[in-house]
Amino acid sequence: MATYATTDHHEDHDHKPSGFFERWFMSTNHKDIGTLYLVFSLIMFFIGGAMALVIRAELFQPGLQLVEPDFFNSMTTVHALVMIFGAVMPAFVGLANWMIPMMVGAPDMALPRMNNWSFWIMPFAFALLLSTLFMEGGAPAGGWTLYPPLSIQGGNNVAFVIFAVHMMGISSIMGAINIIATILNMRAPGMDLLKMPVFVWTWLITAFLLIAVMPVLAGAVTMLLTDKFFGTSFFSAAGGGDPVMFQHIFWFFGHPEVYIMILPAFGIVSEIIPTFSRKPLFGYQAMVYATASIAFLSFIVWAHHMFTVGMPLGGQLFFMYATMLIAVPTGVKVFNWVATMWRGSMTFETPMLFAVGFVILFTIGGFSGLMLAIVPADFQYHDTYFVVAHFHYVLVTGAIFSIMAAVYYWLPKWTGRMYNETLGKWHFWLSTITVNILFFPQHFLGLAGMPRRIPDYNPAFADFNVISSVGGFAFGITQLLFAWIVIDCCLRKRGAKATSGVWESAKGLEWTLASPAPYHSFTTPPKIDDRMLAHGDVSH
Amino acid sequence: MGQATASSNAYYVPHASVWPIVGSVALFLLMSGAATLLNGGSGMGLLKFWLGFAILIFMFFGWFGAVIKESLQGLYNSQVDVSFRMGMVWFIFSEVMFFAAFFGALYYARIFSIPWLGGEGDGFATNQLLHQGYEAAWPTNGPDNVGGFFETIPAWGIPLLNTLLLLTSGLTITLAHWALKVGQRGALIFWMSATIVLGIIFLYWQAYEYVHAYQDLGLTLGSGIYGSTFFMLTGFHGLHVTLGTIMLIVILFRCMAGHFTKENHFAFEAVAWYWHFVDVVWLGLFVFVYVL
Ligand code: HEM
Ligand SMILES: [Cu+2]
């Protein structure tokens, strides 16, 4: 039988590199790199959050209050780019780094050095992006979707943003390749594909989506670059091109991208709910197939972002029905989570609270998505705050809630200490209440016709905007609590020592390792015992 | 360090490496230098750009050098080999998708935007009001005749020749692979060299064609949508052929240094896959850019 001797430090398996530079800048260790990703993501979360608060402060009252309109537009643009590429995606990659080798019984990622490169490109990419804030002419202000001609009418920022996006793309693609290779090639003997934890499955499919669409985004922004600087006419009707073409290419990337930000979340929730329901996951295989169908469908729905730009009727119908079709596999998932909880002996520790909050609030976002998918209705909703409400339900109470659930769930495994449960519960309840104060009124604003991406508005919208801004600041401040809880657990180490199982009935290979997990996860391949898997023995 | 006991089924976790962070700094300098230059900067921009470029090259030598050394020490077992293979396959897939974006642009322009500009379907009013008199056609540089009069490069001259060259090079690299697998060093080196020569001749003709297009035909990157798609697709392809040729040359040197064995020659195969990939992209180009 194969043994994995990790040949670098084979005398002492838990030997960490001694120097600070060597450990954090030259790392080949999936846990250290995972930590780097997560810390980076947390920093970006607060930078992006600060920008969101600028937006909400400006929108607190009608009329121009605090910032120049152009700066306001920069804030909406850069906020989105930072949150999508800097906060949500790296957080998921960080979780993948930490957990996938442990979950499949591997010593590390398949390509550890490339792993480090994937991470270290990110801070530099964001240095490039954020440097535009201090540039003459300011940061990009044409929206994160970078639609031409507006986006390339910016000043000096255009080239910087495009190259920053290229760097993020390189990082994502390398990260995704690594994850696929790890999952397909590094599983312990006996860890069949259909025995893998759902989190691993969702990441496998997400990684495929990343490799398929990040290069398309790279192509799209390259065409923007040449249109601006080298006289091409891709997006200019005068030369026979079409600005709408950019939108097609962008959303061919963009819609799978939103699933890149939610499929790993599905995986996380599918790990947590069985643990705290003390039951195997309901419908494991259905979960896997639903994920795969969502991924497939995500390639053929992109133009639902473009119903109002002009498209032949046949196209509108096709994209409408294809979009609605996604609700079917998504519904399967929600049903399975509920069915897992059904008659379970449930407890509500913080990870479970966030997971249940996810199921309910993400579903609200899914429903508003369905409303947006209806072409004639979207004519009314498009580019209003209704869309903003929709994507914040799926992204904040969806993706971000799942990330927080994951952090609480696995933090004891990472650090060997429990976090402060009381504070965790406070964090959950404050977040959940404030996030709804923040985003729920935006549905009403949108339905009443308030456009998105605008610093001033009709006084008729004032009341709901006040509520939303108050919620926004409260939500923002609440997240400081999260940072504190994490710091308290990681650095001050005041919590109780965690056992290897951590949670009463947590299942999966990661819980067979000590807490904190050893530096090299599985130096000898573990024996796979079906009863140890979160979804029980799938063959029955 | 990797003082490894090369037990055949030991998993190799490589030791810490400085190259990733070097590569990140290089990319940062390169990209911010390029952005500065595009914005009209000079001194600093040039410095950052070339410094970044130089460091990047340095990184590739250092990184691949380390990998080659480890591979020759026999540290990599079959599992590592499979990881490398998967890495290469998915990398090529990402490249396919990169080209897909530009092929998509070509397709969209020809099937949708140009007929619409010419007044088809919903485009009727736009055509009447904005582009009166413009008739859909291919090649075109749009209603505004952007870039002025131009002629195109006929498919059945140099492009056909280049197609034959690349197809032949696909054959020669396969012959080289066979030679490697039966352990015939001489034949291996011969067929590898032939592949490289074919690649270089291809590049020469491409460059010749570009000069011809710019100087005699009036066809430039700025010739409306035709020029844009033509040069973007052939340009990125040419860039890939250039990279592929450089990789082939490195592999040739490694063949001569005797780095590869009958069983163990992943680097050779990876470059061969890459070469086949640029070959296939060229076939797409030949059909959709030149012939149709
Ligand atoms: C049942 C599933 C979903 C459906 C039917 C759906 C449908 C839609 C539609 C039709 C739009 C375009 C609205 C407009 O601009 O007029 C939209 C926008 C958006 N959706 Fe969804 N969606 C779904 C799930 C998700 C998920 C899971 C995410 C992310 C995690 C997401 C993120 C977004 C984002 C970010 C936008 C706005 C993009 C922008 O214009 O800036 N959606 N959705
Ligand atoms: Cu979408």
Side-chain angles (χ1 to χ4, degrees):
Chain A
M1 207 187 153
T3 54
Y4 301 148
T6 48
T7 49
D8 54 343
H9 309 296
H10 56 115
E11 331 78 40
D12 172 7
H13 286 304
D14 222 30
H15 171 82
K16 298 183 176 77
S18 42
F20 180 84
F21 188 84
E22 185 179 348
R23 172 147 187 212
W24 297 109
F25 289 83
M26 295 167 56
S27 181
T28 47
N29 181 277
H30 74 102
K31 298 193 179 73
D32 285 349
I33 295 172
T35 304
L36 288 170
Y37 265 113
L38 290 170
V39 170
F40 175 76
S41 153
L42 189 64
I43 295 170
M44 285 296 142
F45 181 58
F46 281 105
I47 293 178
M51 295 174 183
L53 294 186
V54 173
I55 297 171
R56 279 324 314 172
E58 175 62 46
L59 294 176
F60 187 72
Q61 283 183 352
L64 295 180
Q65 315 289 334
L66 298 168
V67 294
E68 292 294 316
D70 198 52
F71 186 72
F72 179 90
N73 290 340
S74 290
M75 286 294 104
T76 58
T77 306
V78 183
H79 160 74
L81 290 170
V82 166
M83 286 302 199
I84 292 170
F85 293 101
V88 174
M89 291 169 68
F92 282 133
V93 182
L95 293 170
N97 257 296
W98 255 101
M99 301 317 299
I100 288 176
M102 294 207 258
M103 288 177 144
V104 301
D108 207 295
M109 296 291 279
L111 302 159
R113 286 186 192 136
M114 196 170 84
N115 198 15
N116 195 33
W117 202 20
S118 310
F119 170 74
W120 274 107
I121 288 177
M122 290 301 279
F124 289 99
F126 276 87
L128 214 55
L129 176 67
L130 294 177
S131 71
T132 59
L133 283 166
F134 309 101
M135 227 167 241
E136 209 185 304
W144 80 279
T145 49
L146 302 173
Y147 283 2
L150 187 60
S151 67
I152 52 176
Q153 286 162 2
N156 286 343
N157 59 51
V158 179
F160 283 90
V161 175
I162 288 172
F163 286 128
V165 169
H166 274 310
M167 287 177 73
M168 295 167 204
I170 295 171
S171 159
S172 295
I173 291 168
M174 290 196 302
I177 289 176
N178 212 341
I179 288 169
I180 292 192
T182 306
I183 298 174
L184 293 184
N185 192 33
M186 303 288 291
R187 278 169 291 130
M191 176 56 83
D192 305 340
L193 283 177
L194 276 175
K195 285 184 184 171
M196 297 192 311
V198 181
F199 179 68
V200 179
W201 258 111
T202 52
W203 243 118
L204 179 65
I205 293 170
T206 302
F208 169 74
L209 290 181
L210 275 168
I211 302 177
V213 301
M214 290 308 290
V216 175
L217 175 67
V221 296
T222 303
M223 288 185 250
L224 283 182
L225 190 82
T226 56
D227 265 15
K228 181 166 171 78
F229 293 104
F230 299 100
T232 56
S233 304
F234 288 105
F235 308 130
S236 141
D242 188 349
V244 175
M245 178 162 91
F246 177 85
Q247 301 186 19
H248 280 291
I249 303 175
F250 180 86
W251 287 113
F252 183 82
F253 146 79
H255 189 82
E257 168 67 19
V258 306
Y259 280 94
I260 287 165
M261 294 190 286
I262 206 66
L263 293 184
F266 290 168
I268 290 164
V269 171
S270 306
E271 299 300 322
I272 293 175
I273 288 181
T275 297
F276 297 97
S277 306
R278 292 166 181 74
K279 274 177 65 192
L281 181 68
F282 183 88
Y284 166 78
Q285 299 207 357
M287 285 301 210
V288 172
Y289 295 132
T291 310
S293 9
I294 291 175
F296 168 74
L297 289 172
S298 75
F299 283 107
I300 53 166
V301 298
W302 75 86
H304 64 215
H305 295 273
M306 305 167 53
F307 285 145
T308 59
V309 300
M311 204 192 310
L313 184 65
Q316 297 196 324
L317 287 174
F318 172 81
F319 285 109
M320 171 166 90
Y321 286 120
T323 303
M324 292 174 136
L325 218 53
I326 296 200
V328 177
T330 313
V332 167
K333 288 190 160 284
V334 174
F335 180 88
N336 286 358
W337 292 321
V338 175
T340 307
M341 290 187 267
W342 178 253
R343 296 194 155 170
S345 44
M346 292 165 67
T347 51
F348 295 93
E349 287 84 346
T350 311
M352 182 62 164
L353 286 174
F354 272 102
V356 175
F358 170 96
V359 174
I360 296 167
L361 297 173
F362 169 79
T363 305
I364 294 180
F367 281 138
S368 58
L370 268 178
M371 291 170 69
L372 290 166
I374 303 165
V375 175
D378 186 67
F379 284 3
Q380 168 75 11
Y381 308 149
H382 179 68
D383 264 349
T384 69
Y385 259 83
F386 191 80
V387 179
V388 178
H390 158 66
F391 66 69
H392 283 97
Y393 268 86
V394 285
L395 284 171
V396 179
T397 60
I400 303 264
F401 265 37
S402 82
I403 292 165
M404 296 191 162
V407 169
Y408 286 113
Y409 187 53
W410 285 311
L411 202 53
K413 175 58 59 188
W414 301 337
T415 62
R417 298 278 174 171
M418 299 306 287
Y419 59 86
N420 185 327
E421 185 64 45
T422 316
L423 286 183
K425 290 208 166 82
W426 271 99
H427 174 226
F428 168 75
W429 285 109
L430 285 174
S431 294
T432 302
I433 293 166
T434 55
V435 84
N436 282 290
I437 300 175
L438 165 57
F439 292 122
F440 209 79
Q442 296 184 359
H443 290 112
F444 306 134
L445 287 170
L447 293 177
M450 177 170 161
R452 63 190 279 209
R453 291 172 174 167
I454 189 140
D456 188 9
Y457 52 85
N458 187 313
F461 302 131
D463 292 352
F464 283 129
N465 270 300
V466 170
I467 298 173
S468 181
S469 288
V470 170
F473 276 87
F475 182 75
I477 293 165
T478 304
Q479 301 322 310
L480 297 175
L481 184 59
F482 175 65
W484 169 250
I485 297 169
V486 172
I487 291 170
D488 186 52
C489 179
C490 298
L491 301 181
R492 298 180 72 213
K493 295 194 190 295
R494 295 200 316 165
K497 272 208 151 62
T499 60
S500 60
V502 183
W503 310 106
E504 189 182 278
S505 65
K507 294 205 169 152
L509 288 179
E510 75 265 37
W511 307 108
T512 63
L513 289 168
S515 305
Y519 199 59
H520 293 293
S521 294
F522 284 99
T523 42
T524 47
K527 229 179 103 40
I528 309 298
D529 176 352
D530 286 354
R531 283 160 310 178
M532 268 311 298
L533 305 178
H535 36 82
D537 186 348
V538 288
S539 58
H540 295 287
Chain B
M1 287 297 288
Q3 356 83 321
T5 49
S7 121
S8 68
N9 44 21
Y11 179 74
Y12 182 69
V13 178
H15 58 79
S17 165
V18 77
W19 300 116
I21 184 80
V22 171
S24 305
V25 173
L27 274 181
F28 176 75
L29 288 173
L30 184 78
M31 302 249 172
S32 78
T36 313
L37 288 178
L38 287 174
N39 288 332
S42 52
M44 255 326 253
L46 276 175
L47 182 72
K48 280 193 288 184
F49 181 83
W50 287 112
L51 194 64
F53 189 75
I55 299 178
L56 200 65
I57 302 291
F58 177 63
M59 177 214 74
F60 274 117
F61 271 98
W63 192 329
F64 285 129
V67 171
I68 291 169
K69 208 162 89 206
E70 287 162 8
S71 163
L72 293 178
Q73 283 170 359
L75 294 182
Y76 296 161
N77 56 25
S78 58
Q79 191 180 28
V80 181
D81 189 62
V82 173
S83 290
F84 283 166
R85 281 164 196 277
M86 288 183 175
M88 192 65 196
V89 169
W90 288 101
F91 167 66
I92 290 178
F93 176 62
S94 78
E95 292 264 45
V96 170
M97 292 309 291
F98 181 70
F99 276 98
F102 298 106
F103 275 109
L106 176 68
Y107 174 85
Y108 185 90
R110 291 191 60 176
I111 306 290
F112 298 113
S113 64
I114 291 165
W116 286 336
L117 287 171
E120 195 183 275
D122 292 346
F124 178 73
T126 333
N127 178 264
Q128 290 298 307
L129 291 170
L130 294 176
H131 314 301
Q132 211 169 25
Y134 177 70
E135 274 177 45
W138 188 261
T140 180
N141 51 2
D144 283 14
N145 199 18
V146 171
F149 175 77
F150 70 91
E151 286 170 283
T152 60
I153 291 167
W156 307 110
I158 294 178
L160 177 66
L161 184 66
N162 267 348
T163 309
L164 297 176
L165 283 175
L166 273 196
L167 285 180
T168 318
S169 77
L171 192 70
T172 52
I173 199 163
T174 308
L175 290 174
H177 193 197
W178 280 347
L180 176 54
K181 281 205 287 202
V182 295
Q184 292 175 348
R185 275 277 288 288
L188 165 66
I189 288 168
F190 175 77
W191 290 119
M192 275 301 284
S193 314
T195 313
I196 293 167
V197 169
L198 289 169
I200 291 174
I201 302 177
F202 172 92
L203 285 171
Y204 171 78
W205 285 124
Q206 278 302 87
Y208 175 85
E209 188 187 82
Y210 273 21
V211 173
H212 178 58
Y214 264 77
Q215 286 183 347
D216 311 324
L217 302 179
L219 175 62
T220 71
L221 192 58
S223 300
I225 189 70
Y226 184 86
S228 308
T229 49
F230 176 83
F231 281 104
M232 203 69 140
L233 277 161
T234 55
F236 271 115
H237 177 263
L239 198 69
H240 281 77
V241 177
T242 312
L243 287 177
T245 309
I246 294 172
M247 297 189 321
L248 284 173
I249 293 173
V250 173
I251 293 296
L252 174 64
F253 283 130
R254 292 191 60 195
C255 289
M256 299 202 283
H259 281 184
F260 301 121
T261 63
K262 286 183 208 171
E263 303 78 29
N264 210 340
H265 48 259
F266 161 70
F268 179 96
E269 287 181 87
V271 174
W273 297 339
Y274 193 80
W275 194 252
H276 288 308
F277 150 72
V278 295
D279 214 355
V280 171
V281 172
W282 174 262
L283 287 182
L285 281 180
F286 183 63
V287 174
F288 292 108
V289 175
Y290 291 97
V291 176
L292 292 181

